[in-house]
Amino acid sequence: MKIIRFTTQQGKKVMGCDWDGKTASLVEQSADYSFSDTGERVDVVKVLPPVEPSAIICIGLNYRRHAAETGQEIPKYPAVFMKYPGSLAGHKDAIVIPECASDPPEVDYEAELGVIIKKAAKNVPEEEALDYVLGYTCTNDVSARRWQKHAGGFQWTRGKSYDTFCPCGPVMTTTDEITDPQTLAIKCRLNGELMQDSHTSDMVFSVANMIAYLSQSSTLLPGTLILTGTPEGVGFTRKPRVFLAPGDRMEVEIEGIGVLENPVEKEG
């Protein structure tokens, strides 16, 4: 099932399925985390991110060809960093280029598969890890490269946590439709031009491996959103480099999920 979160004409935040671009059928979530279609259709006023994350955990350098294009070795362990929950944005929300990251231009795109945790996960064996997944979504790990690197003291969180730097959505596809997250095509388009064109089979660490690793003596709370890394084709590795500018249009497309769309604006 493909689930959206949205606001109704009454201002309520609800979940729905069978979204046709204008309306959706309300769904109910049971105690066992499954969803059921009520059959009641309502107008979708605004599409929200499919999760209100308790935490946003990100994995860097998790695609082999992306590591190669950056000139770095394949990591032995997942490179873990965080994004502030306040960086979350929804489908068709604007990615806002901060004033402090506009001169010189430095804001880059990163198409990523997002994983949403459904129940508390601690010390989870890899073979059981996917049982803790509620669903999958499209995400964009927007990154201010100068602030990510030397301006932020090489602490990635700062350059990746500005407001709107974590677009997510438009839907969450449940695990009954995606049984193996390592079988998905992933693409990114900038102003209609294909920039990233890869496959989740190129991941260094699988989704199951990441959950097992992250849950070692650490509890992943329900609603945790995991960004699983980006494939090759990011802007800062290109010659000439490509950075986002006001008026640009971003699209992240993942097989079995859909297309996340976001315009780009300048702060202020």
Side-chain angles (χ1 to χ4, degrees), residues 51 53 55-59 62 80-81 112-117 121 132-133 135-137 139 166 203 206-207 210-212 214-215 220-221 223-229:
V51 62
I56 303 174
I57 304 174
C58 310
I59 305 297
N62 196 34
V80 182
F81 61 97
E112 307 203 8
L113 174 68
V115 179
I116 299 171
I117 297 297
Y132 289 78
V133 176
Y136 303 94
T137 190
T139 61
C166 189
M203 284 185 185
S206 69
V207 171
M210 280 183 269
I211 293 171
L214 293 171
S215 71
L220 303 180
L221 296 175
T224 295
L225 174 63
I226 302 173
L227 275 59
T228 57

PDB file of all heavy atoms in Angstrom, residues 51 53 55-59 62 80-81 112-117 121 132-133 135-137 139 166 203 206-207 210-212 214-215 220-221 223-229:
ATOM      1  N   VAL A  51       6.148  10.846   7.367  1.00  0.00           N
ATOM      2  CA  VAL A  51       6.492  10.512   8.743  1.00  0.00           C
ATOM      3  C   VAL A  51       6.874  11.793   9.471  1.00  0.00           C
ATOM      4  O   VAL A  51       7.407  12.739   8.872  1.00  0.00           O
ATOM      5  CB  VAL A  51       7.670   9.504   8.791  1.00  0.00           C
ATOM      6  CG1 VAL A  51       8.924  10.091   8.170  1.00  0.00           C
ATOM      7  CG2 VAL A  51       7.961   9.042  10.213  1.00  0.00           C
ATOM      8  N   PRO A  53       9.444  12.334  11.958  1.00  0.00           N
ATOM      9  CA  PRO A  53      10.524  11.479  12.474  1.00  0.00           C
ATOM     10  C   PRO A  53      10.923  11.797  13.907  1.00  0.00           C
ATOM     11  O   PRO A  53      11.017  12.955  14.307  1.00  0.00           O
ATOM     12  CB  PRO A  53      11.679  11.755  11.507  1.00  0.00           C
ATOM     13  CG  PRO A  53      11.402  13.106  10.944  1.00  0.00           C
ATOM     14  CD  PRO A  53       9.902  13.222  10.878  1.00  0.00           C
ATOM     15  N   ALA A  55      13.810  10.779  14.828  1.00  0.00           N
ATOM     16  CA  ALA A  55      15.208  11.082  14.545  1.00  0.00           C
ATOM     17  C   ALA A  55      15.422  10.884  13.048  1.00  0.00           C
ATOM     18  O   ALA A  55      14.709  10.115  12.407  1.00  0.00           O
ATOM     19  CB  ALA A  55      16.146  10.169  15.338  1.00  0.00           C
ATOM     20  N   ILE A  56      16.393  11.602  12.500  1.00  0.00           N
ATOM     21  CA  ILE A  56      16.799  11.415  11.109  1.00  0.00           C
ATOM     22  C   ILE A  56      18.264  10.998  11.117  1.00  0.00           C
ATOM     23  O   ILE A  56      19.148  11.793  11.451  1.00  0.00           O
ATOM     24  CB  ILE A  56      16.611  12.689  10.268  1.00  0.00           C
ATOM     25  CG1 ILE A  56      15.159  13.167  10.329  1.00  0.00           C
ATOM     26  CG2 ILE A  56      17.022  12.433   8.818  1.00  0.00           C
ATOM     27  CD1 ILE A  56      14.914  14.503   9.630  1.00  0.00           C
ATOM     28  N   ILE A  57      18.503   9.734  10.794  1.00  0.00           N
ATOM     29  CA  ILE A  57      19.852   9.169  10.788  1.00  0.00           C
ATOM     30  C   ILE A  57      20.259   8.934   9.340  1.00  0.00           C
ATOM     31  O   ILE A  57      19.484   8.404   8.539  1.00  0.00           O
ATOM     32  CB  ILE A  57      19.905   7.848  11.571  1.00  0.00           C
ATOM     33  CG1 ILE A  57      19.388   8.058  12.996  1.00  0.00           C
ATOM     34  CG2 ILE A  57      21.322   7.282  11.590  1.00  0.00           C
ATOM     35  CD1 ILE A  57      19.280   6.764  13.803  1.00  0.00           C
ATOM     36  N   CYS A  58      21.475   9.325   9.005  1.00  0.00           N
ATOM     37  CA  CYS A  58      21.939   9.254   7.616  1.00  0.00           C
ATOM     38  C   CYS A  58      23.222   8.433   7.514  1.00  0.00           C
ATOM     39  O   CYS A  58      24.032   8.379   8.445  1.00  0.00           O
ATOM     40  CB  CYS A  58      22.202  10.654   7.074  1.00  0.00           C
ATOM     41  SG  CYS A  58      20.853  11.825   7.347  1.00  0.00           S
ATOM     42  N   ILE A  59      23.371   7.809   6.355  1.00  0.00           N
ATOM     43  CA  ILE A  59      24.554   7.006   6.073  1.00  0.00           C
ATOM     44  C   ILE A  59      25.285   7.631   4.879  1.00  0.00           C
ATOM     45  O   ILE A  59      24.678   7.904   3.843  1.00  0.00           O
ATOM     46  CB  ILE A  59      24.175   5.552   5.733  1.00  0.00           C
ATOM     47  CG1 ILE A  59      23.313   4.951   6.855  1.00  0.00           C
ATOM     48  CG2 ILE A  59      25.430   4.710   5.495  1.00  0.00           C
ATOM     49  CD1 ILE A  59      23.993   4.847   8.196  1.00  0.00           C
ATOM     50  N   ASN A  62      27.592   5.267   0.851  1.00  0.00           N
ATOM     51  CA  ASN A  62      27.031   3.917   0.890  1.00  0.00           C
ATOM     52  C   ASN A  62      26.756   3.328  -0.484  1.00  0.00           C
ATOM     53  O   ASN A  62      26.115   2.290  -0.588  1.00  0.00           O
ATOM     54  CB  ASN A  62      25.751   3.891   1.736  1.00  0.00           C
ATOM     55  CG  ASN A  62      25.363   2.483   2.131  1.00  0.00           C
ATOM     56  OD1 ASN A  62      26.225   1.623   2.362  1.00  0.00           O
ATOM     57  ND2 ASN A  62      24.070   2.214   2.176  1.00  0.00           N
ATOM     58  N   VAL A  80      28.070   7.357   9.765  1.00  0.00           N
ATOM     59  CA  VAL A  80      26.793   7.783  10.329  1.00  0.00           C
ATOM     60  C   VAL A  80      26.832   9.266  10.684  1.00  0.00           C
ATOM     61  O   VAL A  80      27.793   9.751  11.292  1.00  0.00           O
ATOM     62  CB  VAL A  80      26.450   6.964  11.590  1.00  0.00           C
ATOM     63  CG1 VAL A  80      25.094   7.382  12.153  1.00  0.00           C
ATOM     64  CG2 VAL A  80      26.460   5.465  11.273  1.00  0.00           C
ATOM     65  N   PHE A  81      25.787  10.000  10.315  1.00  0.00           N
ATOM     66  CA  PHE A  81      25.602  11.376  10.767  1.00  0.00           C
ATOM     67  C   PHE A  81      24.106  11.618  10.916  1.00  0.00           C
ATOM     68  O   PHE A  81      23.293  10.731  10.642  1.00  0.00           O
ATOM     69  CB  PHE A  81      26.255  12.379   9.805  1.00  0.00           C
ATOM     70  CG  PHE A  81      25.691  12.355   8.415  1.00  0.00           C
ATOM     71  CD1 PHE A  81      24.715  13.258   8.021  1.00  0.00           C
ATOM     72  CD2 PHE A  81      26.152  11.440   7.469  1.00  0.00           C
ATOM     73  CE1 PHE A  81      24.194  13.237   6.735  1.00  0.00           C
ATOM     74  CE2 PHE A  81      25.645  11.416   6.176  1.00  0.00           C
ATOM     75  CZ  PHE A  81      24.664  12.318   5.814  1.00  0.00           C
ATOM     76  N   GLU A 112      18.023   9.729  -2.294  1.00  0.00           N
ATOM     77  CA  GLU A 112      18.256   8.620  -1.369  1.00  0.00           C
ATOM     78  C   GLU A 112      16.954   7.870  -1.069  1.00  0.00           C
ATOM     79  O   GLU A 112      15.871   8.463  -1.028  1.00  0.00           O
ATOM     80  CB  GLU A 112      18.861   9.120  -0.050  1.00  0.00           C
ATOM     81  CG  GLU A 112      20.112   9.961  -0.258  1.00  0.00           C
ATOM     82  CD  GLU A 112      21.022  10.018   0.947  1.00  0.00           C
ATOM     83  OE1 GLU A 112      20.778   9.274   1.926  1.00  0.00           O
ATOM     84  OE2 GLU A 112      21.989  10.802   0.906  1.00  0.00           O
ATOM     85  N   LEU A 113      17.094   6.586  -0.821  1.00  0.00           N
ATOM     86  CA  LEU A 113      15.994   5.770  -0.320  1.00  0.00           C
ATOM     87  C   LEU A 113      15.849   6.023   1.177  1.00  0.00           C
ATOM     88  O   LEU A 113      16.816   5.899   1.934  1.00  0.00           O
ATOM     89  CB  LEU A 113      16.271   4.291  -0.568  1.00  0.00           C
ATOM     90  CG  LEU A 113      15.272   3.299   0.040  1.00  0.00           C
ATOM     91  CD1 LEU A 113      13.910   3.413  -0.648  1.00  0.00           C
ATOM     92  CD2 LEU A 113      15.804   1.869  -0.050  1.00  0.00           C
ATOM     93  N   GLY A 114      14.641   6.390   1.605  1.00  0.00           N
ATOM     94  CA  GLY A 114      14.371   6.582   3.020  1.00  0.00           C
ATOM     95  C   GLY A 114      13.687   5.360   3.616  1.00  0.00           C
ATOM     96  O   GLY A 114      12.803   4.760   2.991  1.00  0.00           O
ATOM     97  N   VAL A 115      14.096   4.986   4.819  1.00  0.00           N
ATOM     98  CA  VAL A 115      13.544   3.830   5.531  1.00  0.00           C
ATOM     99  C   VAL A 115      12.884   4.329   6.811  1.00  0.00           C
ATOM    100  O   VAL A 115      13.502   5.063   7.586  1.00  0.00           O
ATOM    101  CB  VAL A 115      14.650   2.812   5.871  1.00  0.00           C
ATOM    102  CG1 VAL A 115      14.073   1.624   6.638  1.00  0.00           C
ATOM    103  CG2 VAL A 115      15.363   2.346   4.606  1.00  0.00           C
ATOM    104  N   ILE A 116      11.639   3.930   7.043  1.00  0.00           N
ATOM    105  CA  ILE A 116      10.895   4.367   8.219  1.00  0.00           C
ATOM    106  C   ILE A 116      10.738   3.183   9.175  1.00  0.00           C
ATOM    107  O   ILE A 116      10.200   2.131   8.808  1.00  0.00           O
ATOM    108  CB  ILE A 116       9.521   4.918   7.817  1.00  0.00           C
ATOM    109  CG1 ILE A 116       9.700   6.133   6.897  1.00  0.00           C
ATOM    110  CG2 ILE A 116       8.710   5.296   9.059  1.00  0.00           C
ATOM    111  CD1 ILE A 116       8.412   6.615   6.267  1.00  0.00           C
ATOM    112  N   ILE A 117      11.214   3.355  10.408  1.00  0.00           N
ATOM    113  CA  ILE A 117      11.164   2.307  11.428  1.00  0.00           C
ATOM    114  C   ILE A 117       9.782   2.300  12.090  1.00  0.00           C
ATOM    115  O   ILE A 117       9.247   3.351  12.447  1.00  0.00           O
ATOM    116  CB  ILE A 117      12.263   2.530  12.483  1.00  0.00           C
ATOM    117  CG1 ILE A 117      13.656   2.432  11.845  1.00  0.00           C
ATOM    118  CG2 ILE A 117      12.130   1.525  13.628  1.00  0.00           C
ATOM    119  CD1 ILE A 117      13.981   1.063  11.270  1.00  0.00           C
ATOM    120  N   ALA A 121      13.624  -0.707  17.978  1.00  0.00           N
ATOM    121  CA  ALA A 121      14.593  -1.701  17.502  1.00  0.00           C
ATOM    122  C   ALA A 121      15.893  -1.553  18.282  1.00  0.00           C
ATOM    123  O   ALA A 121      16.523  -0.494  18.251  1.00  0.00           O
ATOM    124  CB  ALA A 121      14.841  -1.515  16.009  1.00  0.00           C
ATOM    125  N   TYR A 132      11.367  -4.738  11.142  1.00  0.00           N
ATOM    126  CA  TYR A 132      11.207  -3.504  11.902  1.00  0.00           C
ATOM    127  C   TYR A 132      10.920  -2.302  10.999  1.00  0.00           C
ATOM    128  O   TYR A 132      10.826  -1.171  11.486  1.00  0.00           O
ATOM    129  CB  TYR A 132      12.464  -3.228  12.738  1.00  0.00           C
ATOM    130  CG  TYR A 132      12.616  -4.181  13.900  1.00  0.00           C
ATOM    131  CD1 TYR A 132      13.093  -5.478  13.702  1.00  0.00           C
ATOM    132  CD2 TYR A 132      12.259  -3.802  15.190  1.00  0.00           C
ATOM    133  CE1 TYR A 132      13.214  -6.372  14.760  1.00  0.00           C
ATOM    134  CE2 TYR A 132      12.377  -4.685  16.256  1.00  0.00           C
ATOM    135  CZ  TYR A 132      12.854  -5.962  16.029  1.00  0.00           C
ATOM    136  OH  TYR A 132      12.968  -6.849  17.082  1.00  0.00           O
ATOM    137  N   VAL A 133      10.770  -2.535   9.715  1.00  0.00           N
ATOM    138  CA  VAL A 133      10.536  -1.455   8.757  1.00  0.00           C
ATOM    139  C   VAL A 133       9.040  -1.291   8.506  1.00  0.00           C
ATOM    140  O   VAL A 133       8.338  -2.261   8.211  1.00  0.00           O
ATOM    141  CB  VAL A 133      11.262  -1.737   7.431  1.00  0.00           C
ATOM    142  CG1 VAL A 133      10.941  -0.659   6.399  1.00  0.00           C
ATOM    143  CG2 VAL A 133      12.775  -1.809   7.655  1.00  0.00           C
ATOM    144  N   GLY A 135       7.960   1.144   6.187  1.00  0.00           N
ATOM    145  CA  GLY A 135       7.871   1.387   4.756  1.00  0.00           C
ATOM    146  C   GLY A 135       9.050   2.194   4.249  1.00  0.00           C
ATOM    147  O   GLY A 135       9.984   2.522   5.001  1.00  0.00           O
ATOM    148  N   TYR A 136       8.984   2.532   2.966  1.00  0.00           N
ATOM    149  CA  TYR A 136      10.077   3.202   2.273  1.00  0.00           C
ATOM    150  C   TYR A 136       9.552   4.444   1.564  1.00  0.00           C
ATOM    151  O   TYR A 136       8.400   4.481   1.112  1.00  0.00           O
ATOM    152  CB  TYR A 136      10.713   2.257   1.250  1.00  0.00           C
ATOM    153  CG  TYR A 136      11.218   0.976   1.858  1.00  0.00           C
ATOM    154  CD1 TYR A 136      10.417  -0.168   1.890  1.00  0.00           C
ATOM    155  CD2 TYR A 136      12.485   0.895   2.420  1.00  0.00           C
ATOM    156  CE1 TYR A 136      10.872  -1.352   2.462  1.00  0.00           C
ATOM    157  CE2 TYR A 136      12.953  -0.279   2.996  1.00  0.00           C
ATOM    158  CZ  TYR A 136      12.138  -1.396   3.010  1.00  0.00           C
ATOM    159  OH  TYR A 136      12.593  -2.568   3.576  1.00  0.00           O
ATOM    160  N   THR A 137      10.414   5.454   1.442  1.00  0.00           N
ATOM    161  CA  THR A 137      10.006   6.700   0.810  1.00  0.00           C
ATOM    162  C   THR A 137      11.178   7.310   0.047  1.00  0.00           C
ATOM    163  O   THR A 137      12.329   6.884   0.205  1.00  0.00           O
ATOM    164  CB  THR A 137       9.468   7.687   1.868  1.00  0.00           C
ATOM    165  OG1 THR A 137       8.868   8.801   1.215  1.00  0.00           O
ATOM    166  CG2 THR A 137      10.580   8.172   2.792  1.00  0.00           C
ATOM    167  N   THR A 139      13.716  10.392  -0.545  1.00  0.00           N
ATOM    168  CA  THR A 139      14.281  11.504   0.213  1.00  0.00           C
ATOM    169  C   THR A 139      15.373  12.174  -0.608  1.00  0.00           C
ATOM    170  O   THR A 139      15.891  11.615  -1.575  1.00  0.00           O
ATOM    171  CB  THR A 139      14.874  11.055   1.562  1.00  0.00           C
ATOM    172  OG1 THR A 139      15.939  10.120   1.323  1.00  0.00           O
ATOM    173  CG2 THR A 139      13.826  10.405   2.447  1.00  0.00           C
ATOM    174  N   CYS A 166      15.770  18.317   4.051  1.00  0.00           N
ATOM    175  CA  CYS A 166      15.419  16.895   4.026  1.00  0.00           C
ATOM    176  C   CYS A 166      14.029  16.697   3.420  1.00  0.00           C
ATOM    177  O   CYS A 166      13.096  16.279   4.111  1.00  0.00           O
ATOM    178  CB  CYS A 166      15.487  16.284   5.420  1.00  0.00           C
ATOM    179  SG  CYS A 166      15.306  14.474   5.430  1.00  0.00           S
ATOM    180  N   MET A 203      24.502  -0.467  -3.148  1.00  0.00           N
ATOM    181  CA  MET A 203      24.810  -0.093  -1.770  1.00  0.00           C
ATOM    182  C   MET A 203      25.930  -0.955  -1.194  1.00  0.00           C
ATOM    183  O   MET A 203      25.982  -2.165  -1.427  1.00  0.00           O
ATOM    184  CB  MET A 203      23.569  -0.241  -0.883  1.00  0.00           C
ATOM    185  CG  MET A 203      22.538   0.839  -1.046  1.00  0.00           C
ATOM    186  SD  MET A 203      21.199   0.600   0.173  1.00  0.00           S
ATOM    187  CE  MET A 203      20.075   1.898  -0.327  1.00  0.00           C
ATOM    188  N   SER A 206      23.607  -3.019   3.095  1.00  0.00           N
ATOM    189  CA  SER A 206      22.187  -3.181   2.797  1.00  0.00           C
ATOM    190  C   SER A 206      21.345  -2.509   3.870  1.00  0.00           C
ATOM    191  O   SER A 206      21.826  -2.184   4.968  1.00  0.00           O
ATOM    192  CB  SER A 206      21.831  -4.662   2.714  1.00  0.00           C
ATOM    193  OG  SER A 206      21.910  -5.254   4.004  1.00  0.00           O
ATOM    194  N   VAL A 207      20.068  -2.319   3.581  1.00  0.00           N
ATOM    195  CA  VAL A 207      19.153  -1.751   4.568  1.00  0.00           C
ATOM    196  C   VAL A 207      19.132  -2.607   5.830  1.00  0.00           C
ATOM    197  O   VAL A 207      19.195  -2.086   6.953  1.00  0.00           O
ATOM    198  CB  VAL A 207      17.739  -1.618   3.974  1.00  0.00           C
ATOM    199  CG1 VAL A 207      16.726  -1.237   5.054  1.00  0.00           C
ATOM    200  CG2 VAL A 207      17.723  -0.584   2.847  1.00  0.00           C
ATOM    201  N   MET A 210      22.283  -2.041   7.814  1.00  0.00           N
ATOM    202  CA  MET A 210      22.296  -0.733   8.467  1.00  0.00           C
ATOM    203  C   MET A 210      21.462  -0.746   9.742  1.00  0.00           C
ATOM    204  O   MET A 210      21.878  -0.212  10.776  1.00  0.00           O
ATOM    205  CB  MET A 210      21.770   0.337   7.513  1.00  0.00           C
ATOM    206  CG  MET A 210      22.783   0.831   6.503  1.00  0.00           C
ATOM    207  SD  MET A 210      22.101   2.139   5.478  1.00  0.00           S
ATOM    208  CE  MET A 210      21.430   1.177   4.128  1.00  0.00           C
ATOM    209  N   ILE A 211      20.274  -1.333   9.683  1.00  0.00           N
ATOM    210  CA  ILE A 211      19.412  -1.376  10.867  1.00  0.00           C
ATOM    211  C   ILE A 211      20.081  -2.178  11.983  1.00  0.00           C
ATOM    212  O   ILE A 211      20.074  -1.771  13.151  1.00  0.00           O
ATOM    213  CB  ILE A 211      18.040  -1.961  10.503  1.00  0.00           C
ATOM    214  CG1 ILE A 211      17.291  -1.010   9.566  1.00  0.00           C
ATOM    215  CG2 ILE A 211      17.211  -2.234  11.766  1.00  0.00           C
ATOM    216  CD1 ILE A 211      16.018  -1.587   8.984  1.00  0.00           C
ATOM    217  N   ALA A 212      20.658  -3.302  11.630  1.00  0.00           N
ATOM    218  CA  ALA A 212      21.357  -4.110  12.632  1.00  0.00           C
ATOM    219  C   ALA A 212      22.508  -3.330  13.254  1.00  0.00           C
ATOM    220  O   ALA A 212      22.703  -3.344  14.485  1.00  0.00           O
ATOM    221  CB  ALA A 212      21.857  -5.399  11.994  1.00  0.00           C
ATOM    222  N   LEU A 214      22.996   0.067  13.348  1.00  0.00           N
ATOM    223  CA  LEU A 214      22.547   1.242  14.096  1.00  0.00           C
ATOM    224  C   LEU A 214      21.865   0.871  15.407  1.00  0.00           C
ATOM    225  O   LEU A 214      21.852   1.672  16.355  1.00  0.00           O
ATOM    226  CB  LEU A 214      21.588   2.070  13.240  1.00  0.00           C
ATOM    227  CG  LEU A 214      22.186   2.742  12.010  1.00  0.00           C
ATOM    228  CD1 LEU A 214      21.083   3.337  11.145  1.00  0.00           C
ATOM    229  CD2 LEU A 214      23.185   3.823  12.409  1.00  0.00           C
ATOM    230  N   SER A 215      21.291  -0.332  15.480  1.00  0.00           N
ATOM    231  CA  SER A 215      20.557  -0.732  16.684  1.00  0.00           C
ATOM    232  C   SER A 215      21.431  -1.421  17.726  1.00  0.00           C
ATOM    233  O   SER A 215      20.918  -1.846  18.765  1.00  0.00           O
ATOM    234  CB  SER A 215      19.390  -1.652  16.306  1.00  0.00           C
ATOM    235  OG  SER A 215      19.857  -2.923  15.878  1.00  0.00           O
ATOM    236  N   LEU A 220      16.467   2.325  18.227  1.00  0.00           N
ATOM    237  CA  LEU A 220      15.862   3.117  17.155  1.00  0.00           C
ATOM    238  C   LEU A 220      14.378   3.235  17.485  1.00  0.00           C
ATOM    239  O   LEU A 220      13.663   2.233  17.515  1.00  0.00           O
ATOM    240  CB  LEU A 220      16.062   2.440  15.801  1.00  0.00           C
ATOM    241  CG  LEU A 220      17.508   2.139  15.389  1.00  0.00           C
ATOM    242  CD1 LEU A 220      17.528   1.461  14.027  1.00  0.00           C
ATOM    243  CD2 LEU A 220      18.343   3.409  15.380  1.00  0.00           C
ATOM    244  N   LEU A 221      13.915   4.435  17.745  1.00  0.00           N
ATOM    245  CA  LEU A 221      12.540   4.638  18.160  1.00  0.00           C
ATOM    246  C   LEU A 221      11.587   4.544  16.970  1.00  0.00           C
ATOM    247  O   LEU A 221      11.981   4.785  15.824  1.00  0.00           O
ATOM    248  CB  LEU A 221      12.396   6.006  18.826  1.00  0.00           C
ATOM    249  CG  LEU A 221      13.176   6.207  20.127  1.00  0.00           C
ATOM    250  CD1 LEU A 221      13.032   7.648  20.596  1.00  0.00           C
ATOM    251  CD2 LEU A 221      12.696   5.244  21.201  1.00  0.00           C
ATOM    252  N   GLY A 223       9.257   5.601  14.159  1.00  0.00           N
ATOM    253  CA  GLY A 223       9.275   6.852  13.415  1.00  0.00           C
ATOM    254  C   GLY A 223      10.656   7.322  13.023  1.00  0.00           C
ATOM    255  O   GLY A 223      10.795   8.345  12.345  1.00  0.00           O
ATOM    256  N   THR A 224      11.695   6.600  13.424  1.00  0.00           N
ATOM    257  CA  THR A 224      13.038   6.952  12.970  1.00  0.00           C
ATOM    258  C   THR A 224      13.091   6.866  11.448  1.00  0.00           C
ATOM    259  O   THR A 224      12.628   5.902  10.849  1.00  0.00           O
ATOM    260  CB  THR A 224      14.080   6.011  13.583  1.00  0.00           C
ATOM    261  OG1 THR A 224      14.113   6.197  15.007  1.00  0.00           O
ATOM    262  CG2 THR A 224      15.475   6.290  13.028  1.00  0.00           C
ATOM    263  N   LEU A 225      13.659   7.894  10.830  1.00  0.00           N
ATOM    264  CA  LEU A 225      13.844   7.936   9.381  1.00  0.00           C
ATOM    265  C   LEU A 225      15.323   7.753   9.086  1.00  0.00           C
ATOM    266  O   LEU A 225      16.160   8.516   9.578  1.00  0.00           O
ATOM    267  CB  LEU A 225      13.352   9.272   8.820  1.00  0.00           C
ATOM    268  CG  LEU A 225      13.603   9.546   7.332  1.00  0.00           C
ATOM    269  CD1 LEU A 225      12.879   8.537   6.455  1.00  0.00           C
ATOM    270  CD2 LEU A 225      13.193  10.975   6.971  1.00  0.00           C
ATOM    271  N   ILE A 226      15.643   6.735   8.294  1.00  0.00           N
ATOM    272  CA  ILE A 226      17.034   6.465   7.926  1.00  0.00           C
ATOM    273  C   ILE A 226      17.220   6.802   6.454  1.00  0.00           C
ATOM    274  O   ILE A 226      16.523   6.264   5.595  1.00  0.00           O
ATOM    275  CB  ILE A 226      17.405   4.997   8.181  1.00  0.00           C
ATOM    276  CG1 ILE A 226      17.186   4.627   9.653  1.00  0.00           C
ATOM    277  CG2 ILE A 226      18.857   4.730   7.787  1.00  0.00           C
ATOM    278  CD1 ILE A 226      17.366   3.145   9.943  1.00  0.00           C
ATOM    279  N   LEU A 227      18.163   7.708   6.162  1.00  0.00           N
ATOM    280  CA  LEU A 227      18.555   8.004   4.795  1.00  0.00           C
ATOM    281  C   LEU A 227      19.750   7.123   4.467  1.00  0.00           C
ATOM    282  O   LEU A 227      20.772   7.146   5.180  1.00  0.00           O
ATOM    283  CB  LEU A 227      18.910   9.480   4.628  1.00  0.00           C
ATOM    284  CG  LEU A 227      17.742  10.441   4.354  1.00  0.00           C
ATOM    285  CD1 LEU A 227      16.712  10.411   5.463  1.00  0.00           C
ATOM    286  CD2 LEU A 227      18.252  11.861   4.136  1.00  0.00           C
ATOM    287  N   THR A 228      19.643   6.352   3.406  1.00  0.00           N
ATOM    288  CA  THR A 228      20.541   5.212   3.198  1.00  0.00           C
ATOM    289  C   THR A 228      21.713   5.482   2.258  1.00  0.00           C
ATOM    290  O   THR A 228      22.385   4.559   1.837  1.00  0.00           O
ATOM    291  CB  THR A 228      19.734   4.021   2.671  1.00  0.00           C
ATOM    292  OG1 THR A 228      19.052   4.404   1.466  1.00  0.00           O
ATOM    293  CG2 THR A 228      18.717   3.554   3.700  1.00  0.00           C
ATOM    294  N   GLY A 229      21.982   6.743   1.966  1.00  0.00           N
ATOM    295  CA  GLY A 229      23.116   7.072   1.107  1.00  0.00           C
ATOM    296  C   GLY A 229      22.682   7.394  -0.307  1.00  0.00           C
ATOM    297  O   GLY A 229      21.581   7.060  -0.737  1.00  0.00           O
TER     298      GLY A 229
END
